[in-house]
Amino acid sequence: MISATRRRLMIATLGLPLAPALGQTRPPTPSCGKNTPPQTAGPFYTPNTPLRALLAEKGTKAERLFLAGVVMNQRCEPVAKALLDFWHCDEAGAYDNSGYRYRGHQFADGGGRYRLETILPGVYPGRTRHIHVRVQAPGRGVLTTQLYFPGESGNRRDGIWRPELEVRFERANGARHAVFEFVVDA
Protein backbone atom coordinates (compact mmCIF):
# COMPACT_ATOMS: atom_id res chain seq x y z
CA MET A 1 0.00 0.00 0.00
CA ILE A 2 1.28 3.49 -0.76
CA SER A 3 2.05 5.50 2.36
CA ALA A 4 0.15 8.73 2.95
CA THR A 5 3.39 10.72 2.60
CA ARG A 6 4.23 9.17 -0.78
CA ARG A 7 0.63 9.62 -1.97
CA ARG A 8 0.69 13.33 -1.08
CA LEU A 9 4.10 13.70 -2.76
CA MET A 10 2.91 12.05 -5.96
CA ILE A 11 -0.35 14.00 -6.18
CA ALA A 12 1.24 17.32 -5.28
CA THR A 13 4.24 17.02 -7.57
CA LEU A 14 3.02 15.25 -10.65
CA GLY A 15 -0.20 17.08 -11.38
CA LEU A 16 -1.71 14.02 -13.00
CA PRO A 17 -5.25 12.67 -12.65
CA LEU A 18 -4.19 9.65 -10.59
CA ALA A 19 -6.96 8.84 -8.14
CA PRO A 20 -7.85 5.49 -9.81
CA ALA A 21 -4.20 4.50 -10.24
CA LEU A 22 -3.37 5.24 -6.61
CA GLY A 23 -6.30 3.13 -5.46
CA GLN A 24 -4.81 -0.02 -6.97
CA THR A 25 -4.13 -2.80 -4.51
CA ARG A 26 -0.84 -4.01 -5.97
CA PRO A 27 2.33 -2.69 -4.29
CA PRO A 28 3.99 0.52 -5.48
CA THR A 29 6.58 0.11 -8.20
CA PRO A 30 9.04 -0.23 -6.59
CA SER A 31 8.74 0.14 -2.83
CA CYS A 32 11.37 2.19 -1.05
CA GLY A 33 14.14 0.22 0.59
CA LYS A 34 14.47 -1.93 -2.51
CA ASN A 35 16.13 -0.66 -5.68
CA THR A 36 14.31 -0.76 -8.98
CA PRO A 37 15.24 -4.07 -10.66
CA PRO A 38 17.81 -3.78 -13.47
CA GLN A 39 17.18 -5.14 -16.94
CA THR A 40 19.11 -5.32 -20.17
CA ALA A 41 19.56 -2.22 -22.30
CA GLY A 42 18.87 -4.40 -25.31
CA PRO A 43 20.59 -4.01 -28.66
CA PHE A 44 19.18 -0.55 -29.41
CA TYR A 45 20.79 1.79 -26.86
CA THR A 46 22.34 4.94 -28.35
CA PRO A 47 24.52 7.23 -26.20
CA ASN A 48 24.59 11.03 -26.32
CA THR A 49 20.85 11.52 -26.78
CA PRO A 50 19.51 15.06 -26.93
CA LEU A 51 18.43 16.84 -23.74
CA ARG A 52 14.63 16.88 -24.01
CA ALA A 53 11.47 15.79 -22.22
CA LEU A 54 9.34 15.73 -25.38
CA LEU A 55 10.00 12.62 -27.47
CA ALA A 56 6.73 12.62 -29.45
CA GLU A 57 7.50 13.31 -33.09
CA LYS A 58 5.58 15.90 -35.10
CA GLY A 59 2.89 14.39 -37.28
CA THR A 60 2.54 11.11 -35.39
CA LYS A 61 -0.99 9.85 -34.92
CA ALA A 62 0.08 7.44 -32.16
CA GLU A 63 -1.56 7.68 -28.75
CA ARG A 64 0.19 10.17 -26.44
CA LEU A 65 1.82 8.96 -23.27
CA PHE A 66 2.69 11.23 -20.36
CA LEU A 67 5.08 9.47 -17.98
CA ALA A 68 6.03 11.12 -14.71
CA GLY A 69 7.38 10.18 -11.34
CA VAL A 70 10.09 10.65 -8.78
CA VAL A 71 13.62 9.27 -8.48
CA MET A 72 14.20 8.29 -4.85
CA ASN A 73 16.83 6.65 -2.70
CA GLN A 74 16.15 3.64 -0.48
CA ARG A 75 14.98 5.96 2.33
CA CYS A 76 12.25 7.39 0.03
CA GLU A 77 14.08 10.70 -0.23
CA PRO A 78 14.03 12.41 -3.64
CA VAL A 79 17.23 12.36 -5.68
CA ALA A 80 17.77 15.80 -7.19
CA LYS A 81 19.40 16.09 -10.62
CA ALA A 82 19.25 12.36 -11.38
CA LEU A 83 19.91 11.67 -15.07
CA LEU A 84 17.12 9.80 -16.90
CA ASP A 85 17.76 8.59 -20.45
CA PHE A 86 14.70 7.17 -22.27
CA TRP A 87 14.34 5.32 -25.57
CA HIS A 88 11.67 3.19 -27.23
CA CYS A 89 10.42 2.04 -30.60
CA ASP A 90 7.95 3.94 -32.75
CA GLU A 91 4.27 3.06 -33.14
CA ALA A 92 5.16 0.39 -35.75
CA GLY A 93 7.65 -1.35 -33.44
CA ALA A 94 10.81 -0.03 -35.15
CA TYR A 95 13.77 1.63 -33.41
CA ASP A 96 15.65 4.55 -34.97
CA ASN A 97 19.24 3.30 -34.95
CA SER A 98 20.69 6.13 -37.03
CA GLY A 99 19.19 9.15 -35.25
CA TYR A 100 17.33 10.12 -32.11
CA ARG A 101 13.63 9.53 -32.83
CA TYR A 102 11.96 8.56 -29.54
CA ARG A 103 15.20 9.05 -27.65
CA GLY A 104 16.23 11.69 -25.17
CA HIS A 105 17.54 12.42 -21.72
CA GLN A 106 16.58 14.81 -18.93
CA PHE A 107 17.50 15.59 -15.34
CA ALA A 108 15.16 15.24 -12.39
CA ASP A 109 14.38 18.54 -10.70
CA GLY A 110 15.35 19.46 -7.12
CA GLY A 111 12.54 17.26 -5.80
CA GLY A 112 13.61 14.22 -7.86
CA ARG A 113 10.66 14.68 -10.24
CA TYR A 114 10.70 13.92 -13.95
CA ARG A 115 8.07 14.20 -16.68
CA LEU A 116 8.22 12.75 -20.19
CA GLU A 117 5.84 13.31 -23.10
CA THR A 118 6.03 10.68 -25.81
CA ILE A 119 3.82 8.11 -27.55
CA LEU A 120 2.68 4.67 -26.57
CA PRO A 121 5.41 2.49 -28.11
CA GLY A 122 4.50 -0.15 -30.64
CA VAL A 123 5.08 -3.87 -30.26
CA TYR A 124 7.50 -6.05 -32.20
CA PRO A 125 7.82 -9.86 -32.37
CA GLY A 126 9.05 -11.54 -29.21
CA ARG A 127 8.54 -8.56 -26.88
CA THR A 128 5.71 -6.86 -25.09
CA ARG A 129 5.23 -3.08 -25.14
CA HIS A 130 8.02 -1.37 -23.14
CA ILE A 131 10.20 1.69 -22.64
CA HIS A 132 13.93 1.52 -21.90
CA VAL A 133 15.47 3.83 -19.32
CA ARG A 134 18.83 4.48 -17.71
CA VAL A 135 18.74 6.30 -14.37
CA GLN A 136 21.79 7.67 -12.59
CA ALA A 137 21.99 9.60 -9.34
CA PRO A 138 24.79 12.22 -9.39
CA GLY A 139 28.13 10.53 -8.89
CA ARG A 140 26.65 7.01 -8.68
CA GLY A 141 26.31 3.96 -10.93
CA VAL A 142 23.79 3.64 -13.75
CA LEU A 143 20.57 1.64 -13.38
CA THR A 144 19.39 0.30 -16.74
CA THR A 145 15.87 -1.10 -16.78
CA GLN A 146 12.63 -1.30 -18.77
CA LEU A 147 9.11 -0.13 -17.98
CA TYR A 148 6.03 -2.13 -18.91
CA PHE A 149 2.29 -1.54 -19.22
CA PRO A 150 -0.33 -3.45 -17.23
CA GLY A 151 -2.89 -5.52 -19.11
CA GLU A 152 -0.79 -6.03 -22.23
CA SER A 153 -1.47 -9.41 -23.86
CA GLY A 154 2.24 -10.00 -24.47
CA ASN A 155 3.42 -9.42 -20.90
CA ARG A 156 3.44 -13.03 -19.71
CA ARG A 157 4.93 -14.28 -22.99
CA ASP A 158 7.85 -11.83 -22.78
CA GLY A 159 10.79 -13.61 -21.16
CA ILE A 160 12.05 -10.57 -19.23
CA TRP A 161 8.77 -8.79 -18.30
CA ARG A 162 8.44 -8.20 -14.56
CA PRO A 163 5.23 -6.99 -12.91
CA GLU A 164 7.13 -4.74 -10.49
CA LEU A 165 8.34 -2.76 -13.51
CA GLU A 166 4.82 -1.95 -14.70
CA VAL A 167 3.76 1.68 -14.68
CA ARG A 168 0.53 2.73 -13.03
CA PHE A 169 -1.67 4.52 -15.54
CA GLU A 170 -5.05 5.77 -16.58
CA ARG A 171 -6.51 7.23 -19.75
CA ALA A 172 -7.59 10.87 -19.68
CA ASN A 173 -8.15 13.47 -22.41
CA GLY A 174 -7.20 11.09 -25.24
CA ALA A 175 -3.85 10.11 -23.75
CA ARG A 176 -2.36 7.74 -21.22
CA HIS A 177 -0.98 9.22 -18.02
CA ALA A 178 1.52 6.93 -16.31
CA VAL A 179 3.53 7.04 -13.09
CA PHE A 180 6.68 5.19 -12.10
CA GLU A 181 8.94 5.85 -9.12
CA PHE A 182 12.56 4.80 -9.48
CA VAL A 183 14.58 3.76 -6.42
CA VAL A 184 18.35 3.99 -6.93
CA ASP A 185 21.53 4.05 -4.90
CA ALA A 186 22.15 7.65 -3.91
PDB file of all heavy atoms in Angstrom, residues 82-95:
ATOM      1  N   ALA A  82      18.984  13.689 -10.825  1.00  0.00           N
ATOM      2  CA  ALA A  82      19.246  12.358 -11.384  1.00  0.00           C
ATOM      3  C   ALA A  82      19.098  12.432 -12.903  1.00  0.00           C
ATOM      4  O   ALA A  82      18.209  13.115 -13.421  1.00  0.00           O
ATOM      5  CB  ALA A  82      18.284  11.331 -10.806  1.00  0.00           C
ATOM      6  N   LEU A  83      19.967  11.747 -13.613  1.00  0.00           N
ATOM      7  CA  LEU A  83      19.910  11.667 -15.068  1.00  0.00           C
ATOM      8  C   LEU A  83      18.959  10.538 -15.460  1.00  0.00           C
ATOM      9  O   LEU A  83      19.078   9.429 -14.934  1.00  0.00           O
ATOM     10  CB  LEU A  83      21.301  11.387 -15.627  1.00  0.00           C
ATOM     11  CG  LEU A  83      21.405  11.029 -17.108  1.00  0.00           C
ATOM     12  CD1 LEU A  83      20.993  12.203 -17.986  1.00  0.00           C
ATOM     13  CD2 LEU A  83      22.808  10.569 -17.446  1.00  0.00           C
ATOM     14  N   LEU A  84      18.028  10.814 -16.355  1.00  0.00           N
ATOM     15  CA  LEU A  84      17.121   9.803 -16.897  1.00  0.00           C
ATOM     16  C   LEU A  84      17.249   9.827 -18.407  1.00  0.00           C
ATOM     17  O   LEU A  84      17.057  10.872 -19.041  1.00  0.00           O
ATOM     18  CB  LEU A  84      15.669  10.089 -16.505  1.00  0.00           C
ATOM     19  CG  LEU A  84      15.383  10.049 -15.012  1.00  0.00           C
ATOM     20  CD1 LEU A  84      15.131  11.445 -14.480  1.00  0.00           C
ATOM     21  CD2 LEU A  84      14.219   9.141 -14.725  1.00  0.00           C
ATOM     22  N   ASP A  85      17.588   8.709 -19.002  1.00  0.00           N
ATOM     23  CA  ASP A  85      17.764   8.590 -20.448  1.00  0.00           C
ATOM     24  C   ASP A  85      16.740   7.571 -20.947  1.00  0.00           C
ATOM     25  O   ASP A  85      16.779   6.402 -20.554  1.00  0.00           O
ATOM     26  CB  ASP A  85      19.185   8.124 -20.749  1.00  0.00           C
ATOM     27  CG  ASP A  85      19.577   8.255 -22.204  1.00  0.00           C
ATOM     28  OD1 ASP A  85      18.722   8.605 -23.048  1.00  0.00           O
ATOM     29  OD2 ASP A  85      20.755   7.988 -22.513  1.00  0.00           O
ATOM     30  N   PHE A  86      15.792   8.012 -21.785  1.00  0.00           N
ATOM     31  CA  PHE A  86      14.699   7.166 -22.266  1.00  0.00           C
ATOM     32  C   PHE A  86      14.860   6.852 -23.741  1.00  0.00           C
ATOM     33  O   PHE A  86      15.316   7.697 -24.510  1.00  0.00           O
ATOM     34  CB  PHE A  86      13.358   7.895 -22.102  1.00  0.00           C
ATOM     35  CG  PHE A  86      12.961   8.160 -20.684  1.00  0.00           C
ATOM     36  CD1 PHE A  86      13.216   9.395 -20.096  1.00  0.00           C
ATOM     37  CD2 PHE A  86      12.311   7.192 -19.938  1.00  0.00           C
ATOM     38  CE1 PHE A  86      12.827   9.658 -18.791  1.00  0.00           C
ATOM     39  CE2 PHE A  86      11.924   7.444 -18.630  1.00  0.00           C
ATOM     40  CZ  PHE A  86      12.178   8.677 -18.055  1.00  0.00           C
ATOM     41  N   TRP A  87      14.430   5.654 -24.155  1.00  0.00           N
ATOM     42  CA  TRP A  87      14.337   5.321 -25.565  1.00  0.00           C
ATOM     43  C   TRP A  87      13.315   4.198 -25.753  1.00  0.00           C
ATOM     44  O   TRP A  87      13.103   3.381 -24.867  1.00  0.00           O
ATOM     45  CB  TRP A  87      15.682   4.958 -26.176  1.00  0.00           C
ATOM     46  CG  TRP A  87      16.314   3.660 -25.759  1.00  0.00           C
ATOM     47  CD1 TRP A  87      16.315   2.478 -26.465  1.00  0.00           C
ATOM     48  CD2 TRP A  87      17.064   3.395 -24.566  1.00  0.00           C
ATOM     49  NE1 TRP A  87      17.008   1.519 -25.776  1.00  0.00           N
ATOM     50  CE2 TRP A  87      17.481   2.056 -24.608  1.00  0.00           C
ATOM     51  CE3 TRP A  87      17.418   4.169 -23.457  1.00  0.00           C
ATOM     52  CZ2 TRP A  87      18.225   1.465 -23.596  1.00  0.00           C
ATOM     53  CZ3 TRP A  87      18.169   3.581 -22.439  1.00  0.00           C
ATOM     54  CH2 TRP A  87      18.569   2.249 -22.522  1.00  0.00           C
ATOM     55  N   HIS A  88      12.647   4.230 -26.896  1.00  0.00           N
ATOM     56  CA  HIS A  88      11.673   3.186 -27.226  1.00  0.00           C
ATOM     57  C   HIS A  88      11.426   3.175 -28.723  1.00  0.00           C
ATOM     58  O   HIS A  88      11.863   4.067 -29.460  1.00  0.00           O
ATOM     59  CB  HIS A  88      10.365   3.373 -26.444  1.00  0.00           C
ATOM     60  CG  HIS A  88       9.645   4.650 -26.713  1.00  0.00           C
ATOM     61  ND1 HIS A  88       8.874   4.851 -27.830  1.00  0.00           N
ATOM     62  CD2 HIS A  88       9.578   5.803 -26.004  1.00  0.00           C
ATOM     63  CE1 HIS A  88       8.347   6.063 -27.794  1.00  0.00           C
ATOM     64  NE2 HIS A  88       8.767   6.669 -26.697  1.00  0.00           N
ATOM     65  N   CYS A  89      10.718   2.153 -29.172  1.00  0.00           N
ATOM     66  CA  CYS A  89      10.420   2.037 -30.596  1.00  0.00           C
ATOM     67  C   CYS A  89       9.257   2.960 -30.977  1.00  0.00           C
ATOM     68  O   CYS A  89       8.571   3.504 -30.111  1.00  0.00           O
ATOM     69  CB  CYS A  89      10.105   0.587 -30.969  1.00  0.00           C
ATOM     70  SG  CYS A  89       8.642  -0.098 -30.183  1.00  0.00           S
ATOM     71  N   ASP A  90       9.051   3.116 -32.274  1.00  0.00           N
ATOM     72  CA  ASP A  90       7.947   3.940 -32.749  1.00  0.00           C
ATOM     73  C   ASP A  90       6.645   3.138 -32.697  1.00  0.00           C
ATOM     74  O   ASP A  90       6.632   1.989 -32.221  1.00  0.00           O
ATOM     75  CB  ASP A  90       8.237   4.493 -34.147  1.00  0.00           C
ATOM     76  CG  ASP A  90       8.352   3.425 -35.226  1.00  0.00           C
ATOM     77  OD1 ASP A  90       7.919   2.258 -35.016  1.00  0.00           O
ATOM     78  OD2 ASP A  90       8.866   3.753 -36.314  1.00  0.00           O
ATOM     79  N   GLU A  91       5.570   3.711 -33.206  1.00  0.00           N
ATOM     80  CA  GLU A  91       4.271   3.059 -33.136  1.00  0.00           C
ATOM     81  C   GLU A  91       4.195   1.782 -33.959  1.00  0.00           C
ATOM     82  O   GLU A  91       3.353   0.925 -33.719  1.00  0.00           O
ATOM     83  CB  GLU A  91       3.152   4.030 -33.544  1.00  0.00           C
ATOM     84  CG  GLU A  91       3.274   4.603 -34.925  1.00  0.00           C
ATOM     85  CD  GLU A  91       4.098   5.895 -34.991  1.00  0.00           C
ATOM     86  OE1 GLU A  91       4.980   6.133 -34.147  1.00  0.00           O
ATOM     87  OE2 GLU A  91       3.866   6.667 -35.928  1.00  0.00           O
ATOM     88  N   ALA A  92       5.123   1.596 -34.925  1.00  0.00           N
ATOM     89  CA  ALA A  92       5.161   0.385 -35.748  1.00  0.00           C
ATOM     90  C   ALA A  92       6.105  -0.671 -35.181  1.00  0.00           C
ATOM     91  O   ALA A  92       6.265  -1.736 -35.775  1.00  0.00           O
ATOM     92  CB  ALA A  92       5.580   0.748 -37.167  1.00  0.00           C
ATOM     93  N   GLY A  93       6.751  -0.381 -34.055  1.00  0.00           N
ATOM     94  CA  GLY A  93       7.648  -1.352 -33.442  1.00  0.00           C
ATOM     95  C   GLY A  93       9.079  -1.278 -33.941  1.00  0.00           C
ATOM     96  O   GLY A  93       9.867  -2.201 -33.722  1.00  0.00           O
ATOM     97  N   ALA A  94       9.459  -0.187 -34.606  1.00  0.00           N
ATOM     98  CA  ALA A  94      10.811  -0.034 -35.151  1.00  0.00           C
ATOM     99  C   ALA A  94      11.601   1.001 -34.344  1.00  0.00           C
ATOM    100  O   ALA A  94      11.062   2.044 -33.968  1.00  0.00           O
ATOM    101  CB  ALA A  94      10.745   0.401 -36.614  1.00  0.00           C
ATOM    102  N   TYR A  95      12.863   0.699 -34.087  1.00  0.00           N
ATOM    103  CA  TYR A  95      13.773   1.625 -33.412  1.00  0.00           C
ATOM    104  C   TYR A  95      14.535   2.442 -34.439  1.00  0.00           C
ATOM    105  O   TYR A  95      14.902   1.928 -35.501  1.00  0.00           O
ATOM    106  CB  TYR A  95      14.790   0.870 -32.559  1.00  0.00           C
ATOM    107  CG  TYR A  95      14.232   0.336 -31.271  1.00  0.00           C
ATOM    108  CD1 TYR A  95      13.653  -0.923 -31.219  1.00  0.00           C
ATOM    109  CD2 TYR A  95      14.296   1.082 -30.104  1.00  0.00           C
ATOM    110  CE1 TYR A  95      13.147  -1.432 -30.031  1.00  0.00           C
ATOM    111  CE2 TYR A  95      13.794   0.591 -28.909  1.00  0.00           C
ATOM    112  CZ  TYR A  95      13.219  -0.670 -28.882  1.00  0.00           C
ATOM    113  OH  TYR A  95      12.713  -1.159 -27.703  1.00  0.00           O
TER     114      TYR A  95
END
